[in-house]
Amino acid sequence: MESTFAIVRAHFAWLFIYGPMLSFLPARWRGPRLNQKFALWNVATIISGAGEIFAAVNMVGIWYAFQVSPVLLWVAAYFLCDGVWRTTNANTHGEDTGTILLVFLDQAIHSSRESAWKIAHPVVSDLATADDAREDWQLKIEAARSKRHWEAGKIACVGERYYRIESSIQISGPRPFVYLLRSLPAGVPGHGVLTYKPVEVPQKSR
């Protein structure tokens, strides 16, 4: 059994060393296991961002004192902008943002993969299955594309009925995004209520 000192030491190392270093990576690169192991990414981002700002100030001081290569100024400018951006996002919006260059690279890779996936999986009409006799769900919607903001717990208006999104899964096939909804006895329109607009692909005339 680990001693209290060992637990505290490991927590300290993750909070002030491993966490800040790994926080430079975009969230998708850390993986679910790493995200579960360490939950304080927001704090680690603030620490690493503050470290970038501190390093940038020192670089400017070294450049001014010794008149070294102007490349050092460019590096300092990057660290300063990156540190301010990441610290502000973490402090204001609670976002554990990676460093700017890696975030842009991650977005480019993700966009290219998504585009390739969409080419291989053309859009088809949604398939909605209603079954009031079921206990686990009363409406199943299968879609070719993921639906924005459709998360578990959200309320959706489908026609004149209201449902709560119970879960969503991703499978193979032409409609890989499956949403399971539970019927509600009543509901009213509101800012947080999602309106279901089925995706319908017109049939090509022969």
Side-chain angles (χ1 to χ4, degrees):
M1 185 176 181
E2 287 186 287
S3 66
T4 303
F5 176 76
I7 295 174
V8 172
R9 183 178 61 184
H11 183 75
F12 181 89
W14 270 100
L15 182 59
F16 293 102
I17 301 175
Y18 306 131
M21 291 175 62
L22 292 171
S23 70
F24 284 98
L25 298 175
R28 270 192 290 260
W29 293 18
R30 299 171 201 153
R33 291 184 61 184
L34 189 57
N35 282 323
Q36 291 173 4
K37 182 178 178 63
F38 182 68
L40 300 176
W41 290 111
N42 182 259
V43 177
T45 301
I46 293 175
I47 293 173
S48 63
E52 285 184 283
I53 296 171
F54 179 77
V57 172
N58 280 274
M59 287 180 185
V60 172
I62 293 172
W63 176 84
Y64 182 78
F66 300 101
Q67 293 295 310
V68 294
S69 170
V71 174
L72 190 64
L73 271 184
W74 288 103
V75 176
Y78 175 83
F79 279 175
L80 180 62
C81 294
D82 193 60
V84 170
W85 177 64
R86 296 176 66 234
T87 304
T88 302
N89 277 342
N91 193 34
T92 306
H93 305 293
E95 298 177 358
D96 49 330
T97 311
T99 187
I100 293 174
L101 285 177
L102 293 182
V103 168
F104 280 143
L105 178 60
D106 174 61
Q107 289 294 335
I109 294 173
H110 180 70
S111 298
S112 62
R113 287 178 176 175
E114 191 175 54
S115 299
W117 187 89
K118 287 181 178 179
I119 293 173
H121 299 79
V123 177
V124 295
S125 301
D126 286 357
L127 178 62
T129 305
D131 189 349
D132 289 334
R134 294 186 65 103
E135 295 184 358
D136 51 347
W137 56 264
Q138 287 76 51
L139 180 65
K140 177 171 69 173
I141 297 177
E142 301 170 72
R145 298 288 184 269
S146 62
K147 297 188 178 297
R148 190 178 182 185
H149 303 312
W150 276 53
E151 304 164 356
K154 291 289 187 70
I155 306 300
C157 179
V158 182
E160 297 181 353
R161 297 182 63 178
Y162 288 83
Y163 296 84
R164 182 177 64 247
I165 302 173
E166 290 295 301
S167 62
S168 61
I169 57 176
Q170 188 169 349
I171 60 175
S172 58
R175 299 179 180 88
F177 299 96
V178 181
Y179 301 89
L180 304 178
L181 297 85
R182 188 183 296 274
S183 178
L184 297 176
V188 293
H191 179 70
V193 176
L194 304 170
T195 301
Y196 173 59
K197 296 180 180 179
V199 174
E200 297 181 356
V201 179
Q203 299 293 326
K204 293 182 179 179
S205 57
R206 295 182 179 179

